[in-house]
Amino acid sequence: MTEPLQWARYHWQQLMGGRTGEDDTRPYNYSSLLACGGKSSHTPKVSGKHRVVVPHLQPFKDEYEKFSGTYVNNRIRTTKYTLLNFVPRNLFEQFHRAANLYFLFLVVLNWVPLVEAFQKEITMLPLVVVLTIIAIKDGLEDYRKYKIDKQINNLVTKVYSRKEKKYIEYRWKDVTVGDFIRLSCNEIIPADMVLLFSTDPDGICHIETSGLDGESNLKQRQVVRGFADQDAEVDPEMFSSRIECESPNNDLNRFRGFLEHSNKERVGLSKENLLLRGCTVRNTEAVVGIVVYAGHETKAMLNNSGPRYKRSKLERRANTDVLWCVLLLIVMCLTGALGHGIWLSRYENIFFFNIPESDGHVISPLLAGFYMFWTMIILLQVLIPISLYVSIEIVKLGQIYFIQSDMDFYNEKTDSTVQCRALNITEDLGQIQYLFSDKTGTLTENKMVFRRCSVAGYDYCHEENAKRLESYQEAISEDEEFADSPGNSFGNMVKLPPHSCRAAHHGPLGRKPSHPLAGSSCALGSGEGASEASHARQAAFSSPIETDVLPDTRLLDKFSHITPQLFTPLDENTDVPPLETLYIMDFFIALAICNTVVVSAPNQPRQKIRLSSLSGMPIKSLEEIKSLFQRLSVRRASSPSLASLKESSCGIPNALVSRLSLFSRVKPASPVEEEVSQSSEIEIAHNASDSACCAETEKHSSHTELTEGKSAPGPPLASALCYEAESPDEAALVYAARAYRCTLQSRTPEQVMVDFAALGSLTFQLLHILPFDSVRKRMSVVVRHPLSNQVVVYTKGADSVIMELLSRGSPDGATLEEQQMLIREKTQRHLDDYAKRGLRTLCIAKKVMSDSEYAEWLRDHFLAETSIDNREELLTESAMRLENKLTLLGATGIEDRLQEGVPESIEALHKAGIKIWMLTGDKQETAINIAYACKLLQPEDKLFILNTESKDACEMLMSTILKELQSKGTGCPEQASLQEELAQPSTPKDSGPRAGLIITGKTLGFALQENLQRRFLELTAWCQAVVCCRATPLQKSEVVKLVRSRLQVMTLAIGDGANDVSMIQVADIGIGVSGQEGMQAVMASDFAISQFRHLSKLLLVHGHWCYTRLSNMILYFFYKNVAYVNLLFWYQFFCGFSGTSMTDYWVLIFFNLLFTSAPPVIYGVLEKDVSAETLMQLPELYQSGQKSEAYSPLTFWITLLDAFYQSLVCFFVPYFTYQGSDIDIFTFGSPLNTAALFIILLHLVIESKSLTWIHLLVIVGSILSYFVFTLAFGAMCVTCNPPSNPYWIMQEHMLDPMFYLVCILTTCIALLPRFTYRVLQGSLFPSVILRAKHLDRLTPEGRTQALKKWRKASKMHQATSECADPSANKSGKTPLSALSAELTLKTATSCTVDQGNGPVCETTVDVGCSGTKPSETNGPSTC
């Protein structure tokens, strides 16, 4: 119902509002709009079927009013309230809370004369105060949004005016669907619009989407096909087309529609033609577009779902206890009603006690008891803590403030700190039991460094590059020792001046560039916007450790064999080019062009061909370059590279090629971002001849001659190219190709230019880009080779996918087929070796198509592209038909190093009792290697690998492993069944060897099926660590959901990429890492950190504090309310259960609302039971939160019993003191109130572990406020609350020594049991927390010695446990054969491997260097 109302409201505003041209130049950052939200749904929110967009021009006036005029305008409003609806709507939302409804019911009930207990105004006071505080908070938050909305709506942009026939300035809020908008460089896009013109000669517009998804790298958008060839800017008056597209939805990665010309010819539209609101135009002088979505119908606004709201476990527990308090209140009220009825029945004939009505009618005791029940409800209403919820919100805001103020979370390199995006689940940070982590970018730096490659079956180790990385590491270590402060060190990142873009230097290989532009910042425009953009993008995938790749000397030497003569027409006297040489050339061409990297030069637009004749000409402006291109158009047409492009064999329709837009325009995601597939398994063979690494490397002098004497003859203008990659994988491969003088020079939608060593500049006609997707798990580019004029498909992707697509037969004979099979086997061995070394692997392949084959595929592909329904599915099928019968060229190994502090953090989290699962899309061997490196797995761990091809095999293997674990008692004995797992949080035990489980994506799919879920969870309960490799994003979320729902445990998911969003949103706590993969994970998370190592302090310190503080504060609220309200209940036994109070109603209301409300709030914000240093050094202290020791049903009922005891003492000590005296009722009530105040406040002092001057100030302030109020109230209110009269009562008590004696005696007797218990607990049987608290009081030397004794005692306990367990005694670092317990099935292999004796794999063969026999691992040429 909300969406139609919004549509109607904005439609009415659009009809009634007029356009103005006022200029408002207030500064604006679009990211502020999404600061409070950004949660993106996977399912598009579609309203209706299609949308017709007609230009806002005079010839289309009638059609415009029929279609475009009915859509909302561009005004946005993210506020909830207006001046008119603030009060009613805010009250409506607040009364959704059950506690507020309960107190509203009491207010209404007190207006009934028969059950009235207080004055009507007094009963309303608590509810009014609470509602007012929350309303003020909501109003201030909404006003902040209003100011942001006002800034956004009043920004100006240039819109075409049909009256003035030119572009004039309009405010954003006045833009409507169908308007033509003209934007300049560095301007923010005001609405979603289809791109019709760009000053770029290729019709490209470069945009930065950091305001939308946080990604700072540039992205390309393409002018609609047919408009890109226009030399002049599109004239709105001559525009005679209309657009039909899908209805507004929140899918940022999809846009479907078509543009229909007046002749009914249709042109397809895709997301590459759409400029999204909130993005910024970069490196493009001007663009023109037509608005298709405006205001709240833009994709940016549809993704702005507001702040995340989750209910914490503690809040759910508190709600349950509130219900117990309600039940207790009902029991007390029933007791009062029953007592009142019995009282009246005993004195039924005595009218002094049973006063008749005015008509003489006497109410029966039964009916009077019924009325008294409701009176008691009003009287004892304080039992339900109405101020608890307000206090919880205030405390959580204070906790968030201190978390965000912690300087240990600050990352100097990214200038960022922790972000708390969810305001109401801070205490859940202290109760995490399961942690699910992504690998790439979360545990690793996501700095992809090219390490090794295999080409044509030969492995190239790149030893020089490895030495370079070691030198970087040493420099980093020295720099960190000099610059970093203790407790705030930063990751292993090169501390060198940053670059704002990717500089492709074409100096001698292996040497620093000498060009003055090299290494300088590439300007993105002019003005402040350019500098801001440059600063925002200066460090993405472009640090020297990533870009300065040193080539392998042996592979570089083989480049000398690549000459232009290899591609001359063959005759009888010409030798066939060596196959290895052709493979090397194709391999590096694929690295250079099979990607979506955007290339630019400083202050230049993208260009099709860079001519050497332009070198030496000063570049002054974009317009000068444009005129240059116009003057050189004839020369461009006669270029040899272009001439080869214009040749068309077999009559392939080039026009048809140009009509295809989706695959040739769509920019794919990285093909190696969490590729997921089942890795093919082969036995590892050892053959020294398979590896080029085992041969003796050439001398360094030879390398120097090669690198310095053979410089690339690239165009001079390319000396400082900017590479804008969407992922670090792509950047690493492009930089690796550049190191071998295969440099990506330029990229346009039609062609890619590569400068290839001795061959010079090669211009490939770009026919199609087949983007990466989660189904195909690869990407391809289809090009026409400039030398052979053949259609070639270059493909890169996961090895398990590419290997299945290789050609099984060869038309050229058995020799070539055997050679290809040999290359495949060798490459597979190299891939396995790369994975064991922790490298990310990728396969490169190609396919040559005949013109007839390509034409046939092209026809089918055109039909798929022009379809409206199921377009994506049809295009995927078309791509899969193309990507088959591939020829394997080689493979790459990219290193993604661990972040600093990851092993220490994981070790600490393990000690804290948190089970850690690593969910990754990488290969099994890579995942295992990283797991060992980050100490997720220990060398002595027993590994069980689940890798099956069928569901039955998976079930059988899980049962076999489970039986072995149960029989040997490995892991946690108390978790032998799932029921025990449900009842007991998982905590690692010291006895016995640890177990680790490795499961692949395909097997995980079987395990997640309904009938295997229970067994899978039982198996994982016995394992201290679980690694899921080759897992899809959907599988990640399903795993988290399964563990969370079936085991009833607290889960945390952490990731850094868009593929982790679903996992983050499913977990109890979602944490995003603001790394190099954009901000999608951060925008979907509850908390955001910059490095994984910050997670340990966030959980172990702040999580522990938040949970302990809030738990004790909630218990204290229950305690003080029950203790005080019971004073009224005990009094009923002495007043005939008449519902009267011995205290004035104003004092009664203010006691909980004012006098005792501030101390627990301060306690909840500032309390520290243990210091941060101790919590970090003793991670096991975190387990108290996992077990809910601070707040459990037991502690709740003990607190209530203590409150009952203290209330009995507080009532009956004054009662017996004044028994037999002639004091009045209020004189008796004042000592009770005063003693209760001291008891309640001193109770908090006893429970506090760290008293500060702020605590004491608030407690003293509460006491003073009580006495000031009661003295002033007693002096001024003679008849404030008739018939009661508190006049001068407190003044008389202050002069009576008995009053002080009663208060002191009552306080001491009431608090004596709790004080005695705390003293005995601290001295005789201290808890772990108290023992740790004692360490904080020691001197630094004594603290160090105590910590050593603590850890020594833990080790002795572990040794004692191992001696007591015979099976565990055998679990030391035994030889590999002793630990191996192979559980082999026909389709599955499980093994246990000792990391100390060899790499972990699915066989028990020790593996040395790749391609070597075991006996040769000590040879002189190891990798």
Side-chain angles (χ1 to χ4, degrees), residues 178-190:
D179 281 342
F180 287 86
I181 296 180
R182 191 179 195 275
L183 299 173
S184 301
C185 187
N186 298 322
E187 280 194 57
I188 301 173
I189 301 169

Side-chain angles (χ1 to χ4, degrees), residues 197-208:
F197 171 77
S198 172
T199 54
D200 186 276
D202 300 305
I204 295 174
C205 171
H206 298 90
I207 62 173
E208 181 182 296

Side-chain angles (χ1 to χ4, degrees), residues 21 208 324 512 603 819 874 939 961 1083 1220 1287 1307 1410:
E208 181 182 296
W324 281 113
K512 293 184 178 179
N603 300 317
Q819 191 170 8
L874 294 175
I961 297 175
M1083 295 169 70
Y1287 182 71
T1307 302
S1410 175

